[in-house]
Amino acid sequence: MTTWTEHTADRPITFSAPSGIDRSAHHRLDEAWLAAAWSHPTTRVFVVSGGQALIDDTPDGRTELIMTPSFEAPLTEAHRYYLGTDDEGVSYFALQKDSLPGRIDQSARPAGLREAGLLLSPRDAGLLVHAVALENWQRLHRFCSRCGERTVIAAAGHIRRCPACGAEHYPRTDPAVIMLVTDEEDRALLGRQVHWPEGRFSTLAGFVEPGESIEQSVAREVYEEAGVVVGDVEYVASQPWPFPSSLMLGFMARATSAEIQVDGEEIEEARWFSREDLRAAFESGEVLPPYGISIAARLIELWYGKPLPKP
């Protein structure tokens, strides 16, 4: 059985590292507590807009999410989302706005999760991924799916209620599987999606369908995309992936067949790589590694035995 090596065991998966934030869901319906938390001088607030927030580089080389005290934050009532409280009692809120605020400090810049996820601390990355996921859901689910009436925000951004029929709607999370498949020779199956740059290879992935277990989903997606039959499936780890609303479930899978037949729609090319094949392809530039933000890189490292080159 494949195990984490010394090179990968202590490397956190982006967005999955402990953030030190207690989401304190029991406070979301307590309006008095939320009002007190909002007005507390230690409370910190940031604006999220279109999946982006402002970040800045510090003199000591770190990158931080730009946050302000609540009394300096832009005005909004409805789109104020409580994200949690840390061990020191500091509460954090995100404000959803149509645009990010301007900054006198010219070094500040807007960034989305794909850029900022690799730069921010686990705390800041965890706060941003929570806020972006809520913003995505709020923007796309403004009307009741039962009766069509416009819904209103409740529970500090975590519920939308319908004033007409009384239905409650909760943030959507779509489970998706992502898997590194190996064969009897311990070669890894990597594929290239149609819209990716030439040379970009990564693991296979796909959404879980209704009435399907995650193990069944792994086998179905691998067969549909690459024509390879999968037997044993081993869960590795998960990763929030709010693009716009997925939860990536990572697996190692063992193939029982080696013949490849790509679907030509999602996957344009798929190949078996030995470790030496992949190393040589990286060095020559024939193959580009997946982006480091994705759990795909960790799954490949689990098999490869050392960190991948930076894309």
Side-chain angles (χ1 to χ4, degrees), residues 149-152 161-167:
E149 184 71 25
R150 180 179 286 274
T151 54
V152 296
R161 290 197 177 108
C162 178
C165 70

Side-chain angles (χ1 to χ4, degrees), residues 59-75:
D60 59 1
R62 295 177 295 111
T63 301
E64 293 184 334
L65 191 61
I66 291 180
M67 292 185 271
T68 66
S70 55
F71 61 83
E72 294 181 4
L75 295 176

Side-chain angles (χ1 to χ4, degrees), residues 234-250:
E234 177 188 356
Y235 173 74
V236 177
S238 64
Q239 179 187 35
W241 195 250
F243 302 106
S245 56
S246 296
L247 175 66
M248 302 298 289
L249 306 168

Side-chain angles (χ1 to χ4, degrees), residues 93-289:
F93 288 80
L95 302 181
Q96 178 181 323
K97 303 290 287 185
D98 291 334
S99 62
L100 295 175
R103 291 280 298 182
I104 297 176
D105 184 353
Q106 296 302 313
S107 66
R109 64 189 186 276
L113 286 167
R114 294 183 188 274
E115 175 191 350
L118 293 175
L119 303 175
L120 297 174
S121 67
R123 185 203 68 178
D124 285 5
L127 290 170
L128 185 56
V129 76
H130 189 176
V132 167
L134 286 177
E135 184 205 20
N136 285 335
W137 173 67
Q138 293 282 359
R139 289 187 184 277
L140 296 175
H141 295 83
R142 298 178 180 179
F143 297 91
C144 179
S145 58
R146 180 184 294 176
C147 71
E149 184 71 25
R150 180 179 286 274
T151 54
V152 296
I153 297 172
H158 294 75
I159 294 176
R160 292 191 73 101
R161 290 197 177 108
C162 178
C165 70
E168 289 189 346
H169 304 280
Y170 296 85
R172 175 175 173 172
T173 298
D174 301 319
V177 292
I178 183 167
M179 45 276 171
L180 182 72
V181 180
T182 56
D183 68 359
E184 292 182 352
E185 300 177 34
D186 203 25
R187 297 179 300 173
L189 178 65
L190 301 179
R192 189 173 71 82
Q193 291 190 16
V194 174
H195 62 277
W196 284 357
E198 189 70 28
R200 175 81 66 204
F201 280 81
S202 188
T203 55
L204 303 183
F207 287 103
V208 179
E209 293 187 346
E212 182 178 56
S213 71
I214 52 178
E215 292 83 3
Q216 291 170 334
S217 181
V218 168
R220 175 184 53 76
E221 285 287 347
V222 173
Y223 186 76
E224 287 180 356
E225 294 185 351
V228 172
V229 178
V230 163
D232 294 337
V233 175
E234 177 188 356
Y235 173 74
V236 177
S238 64
Q239 179 187 35
W241 195 250
F243 302 106
S245 56
S246 296
L247 175 66
M248 302 298 289
L249 306 168
F251 295 88
M252 302 295 288
R254 179 68 72 174
T256 60
S257 69
E259 183 179 353
I260 295 174
Q261 186 174 354
V262 297
D263 62 6
E265 295 181 2
E266 291 188 60
I267 302 298
E268 186 172 62
E269 181 184 2
R271 293 163 54 185
W272 292 106
F273 292 88
S274 68
R275 292 173 181 81
E276 180 58 28
D277 291 338
L278 191 58
R279 182 194 63 78
F282 284 151
E283 291 179 353
S284 69
E286 177 189 358
V287 169
L288 304 175

